[in-house]
Amino acid sequence: MIALDKQTIRDIDAHGKRVLVRVDFNVPMIDGAISDDTRIRAAVPTIEALRAQGARVVLMSHLGRPDGAVVEGLRLAPVAVHLSGLIGAPVTMVSDCIGPEAESAVAALEPGNVLLLENVRFHAAEETNDPAFAALLAKLGDVYVNDAFGTAHRAHASTEGVAHLLPAVAGLLMEREISIMGGALTEPEHPFVAVVGGKKVSDKIGVLKNLVGKADHLLIGGAMANTFLRAQGYKMGMSFVEATSVSTARAILSEAPHAGTVIHLPVDLVVASQLSSSVDTFIAGVGTVPDNTMAFDIGPATTERYADIIRSATTVIWNGPMGVFEMEPFAAGTLGIAEALAQVNGTTIVGGGDSVAALEACGHAGSVTHVSTGGGATLEFLEGVELPGVAVLRDRAIAAPQ
Ligand code: ADP
Ligand code: MG
């Protein structure tokens, strides 16, 4: 972990203070029940640390896309109940995130108490980053903490606007995300291997460009590999190829050797006549994909090569599945990568919604150094973009040169 250049909750004395904390409680819900509490659990260390400091903790989050209206199914009440169980203490809930009810509930908090404000996106002013709305939020705290890494790529009132109005520092999850991923991008221990897959080159151009020149090896899989193979002139049958990105892929391939990055493409593929979990599949070497078939996974020889390179790495960043891992016949490549990652003696980082789902599905989430909680935020971070919700936090004082 490298030292974060932003102040964190460790740099403040929160005792007795009202601490307004932006968390990411945007959890998946099925019929009003939380189906995955990962994001809630990820915020607990910051909440516990603030309670231990004797802070009056005021939490705020968005949930779903209510688009500026009150949507009953997107109330945060189930999250308050769940959080209360996790921290073993009551979590008070109010029916709005601003206004008299919220203000009096905050005024009633004792040191160590926790309050959860209602969904900030019930107000359209949240996403427009309206300064008047940010000022109403700021009335509820003496200090602001941003622990919502997954929303830090959005300049909204609760992630950015309010941070101009109060002393603003990072929470522990935010610190961990930025220092582990930032450390790998800026001061990686070599060999540094990046694994990039998923569907489209166009979704990941920024990530690919940022990794070329930083990573020693860049392993490409998923449908994205089809576009790169096409750029090298291979016939890909009926496989998904992003025609508009072929020239980008070609440019990345020609630039990489000069930047010190070796790009690896599949040498074999799992192909089938259609995308179905009961279809017959076979292995085709690159250049021999039959006209009437499509590539849906990297082949076994590729998986073995990629796994060898991963196992000899000291830093690995993985974003994007190697195939249609959601279907058993096309899951082996992604599983092979996850298994290799679990064996690495070094720092291993996995980011991206589908990549994290794949890692969890094969039971390896506990074997990597860091599973990023962001989707879009993680991708932007890997692109090297400064996230607005981070930029606005207080800088750490830099020691004067001697
Ligand atoms: P992440 O969410 O981790 O950033 P992406 O969203 O870029 O990943 O890509 C994940 C999707 O790509 C998955 O739904 C997967 O089924 C799909 N995919 C991977 N390989 C292929 C392929 N060869 N053909 C079609 N779809 C693919
Ligand atoms: Mg995705």
Side-chain angles (χ1 to χ4, degrees):
M1 234 162 71
I2 58 158
L4 184 67
D5 60 355
K6 295 292 180 181
Q7 292 187 25
T8 74
I9 58 168
R10 276 192 273 268
D11 299 304
I12 58 171
D13 175 12
H15 186 79
K17 296 216 176 83
R18 298 170 306 149
V19 182
L20 182 62
V21 190
R22 176 54 155 103
V23 286
D24 184 358
F25 285 165
N26 184 31
V27 288
M29 308 266 280
I30 298 172
D31 296 331
I34 297 161
S35 58
D36 179 354
D37 72 347
T38 306
R39 284 180 163 169
I40 305 177
R41 282 185 286 109
V44 167
T46 293
I47 297 166
E48 295 285 28
L50 289 170
R51 292 184 68 219
Q53 282 192 34
R56 299 171 151 93
V57 182
V58 182
L59 304 172
M60 60 179 168
S61 177
H62 76 284
L63 175 61
R65 297 181 178 275
D67 288 333
V70 175
V71 175
E72 288 304 323
L74 295 177
R75 288 197 179 276
L76 282 165
V79 175
V81 172
H82 191 81
L83 175 64
S84 171
L86 290 177
I87 65 173
V91 175
T92 315
M93 182 79 216
V94 283
S95 65
D96 198 354
C97 62
I98 52 167
E101 186 200 352
E103 285 168 25
S104 52
V106 171
L109 290 175
E110 298 291 336
N113 286 175
V114 181
L115 170 74
L116 176 59
L117 303 173
E118 188 53 279
N119 193 340
V120 288
R121 287 196 190 165
F122 284 177
H123 294 266
E126 160 67 0
E127 293 189 63
T128 59
N129 199 0
D130 175 12
F133 178 68
L136 290 172
L137 292 174
K139 277 175 81 175
L140 304 175
D142 304 306
V143 181
Y144 170 77
V145 173
N146 194 348
D147 211 25
F149 176 77
T151 327
H153 59 315
R154 306 280 183 225
H156 292 167
S158 68
T159 60
E160 205 270 350
V162 68
H164 292 285
L165 306 172
L166 294 172
V169 301
L172 300 176
L173 171 64
M174 182 71 95
E175 178 187 31
R176 184 176 159 77
E177 291 270 10
I178 294 170
S179 23
I180 296 182
M181 290 198 289
L185 291 173
T186 56
E187 303 172 0
E189 279 194 53
H190 294 273
F192 173 21
V193 173
V195 188
V196 182
K199 196 143 190 212
K200 293 178 172 176
V201 175
S202 57
D203 284 348
K204 309 274 168 89
I205 291 172
V207 175
L208 291 165
K209 287 195 169 155
N210 194 35
L211 290 170
V212 166
K214 290 190 166 75
D216 302 301
H217 297 274
L218 177 54
L219 315 181
I220 295 184
M224 175 187 293
N226 300 343
T227 303
F228 275 88
L229 291 168
R230 170 63 59 77
Q232 290 197 322
Y234 291 111
K235 282 174 41 172
M236 294 304 298
M238 298 191 312
S239 304
F240 175 83
V241 170
E242 207 183 355
T244 52
S245 292
V246 172
S247 59
T248 304
R250 199 172 287 130
I252 291 170
L253 286 169
S254 66
E255 189 206 320
H258 306 290
T261 299
V262 182
I263 295 190
H264 301 261
L265 296 176
V267 293
D268 61 345
L269 299 154
V270 178
V271 304
S273 59
Q274 56 173 315
L275 186 56
S276 143
S277 46
S278 55
V279 73
D280 286 335
T281 66
F282 56 101
I283 310 302
V286 161
T288 68
V289 175
D291 287 347
N292 58 344
T293 66
M294 292 168 262
F296 292 125
D297 194 10
I298 57 173
T302 306
T303 306
E304 207 171 298
R305 283 182 181 213
Y306 284 11
D308 278 344
I309 297 170
I310 291 168
R311 279 190 293 260
S312 64
T314 312
T315 307
V316 186
I317 292 184
W318 178 23
N319 168 260
M322 295 292 100
V324 184
F325 71 94
E326 299 92 335
M327 291 185 189
E328 200 271 331
F330 311 112
T334 302
L335 179 63
I337 297 302
E339 280 171 354
L341 214 65
Q343 293 167 36
V344 170
N345 187 10
T347 304
T348 48
I349 298 166
V350 182
D354 292 294
S355 316
V356 171
L359 188 74
E360 278 168 357
C362 58
H364 286 299
S367 328
V368 298
T369 311
H370 183 62
V371 177
S372 181
T373 54
T378 304
L379 278 187
E380 289 194 28
F381 193 85
L382 295 179
E383 287 171 11
V385 172
E386 189 174 28
L387 310 179
V390 177
V392 73
L393 303 177
R394 274 193 174 178
D395 290 319
R396 192 177 285 286
I398 296 169
Q402 299 292 310

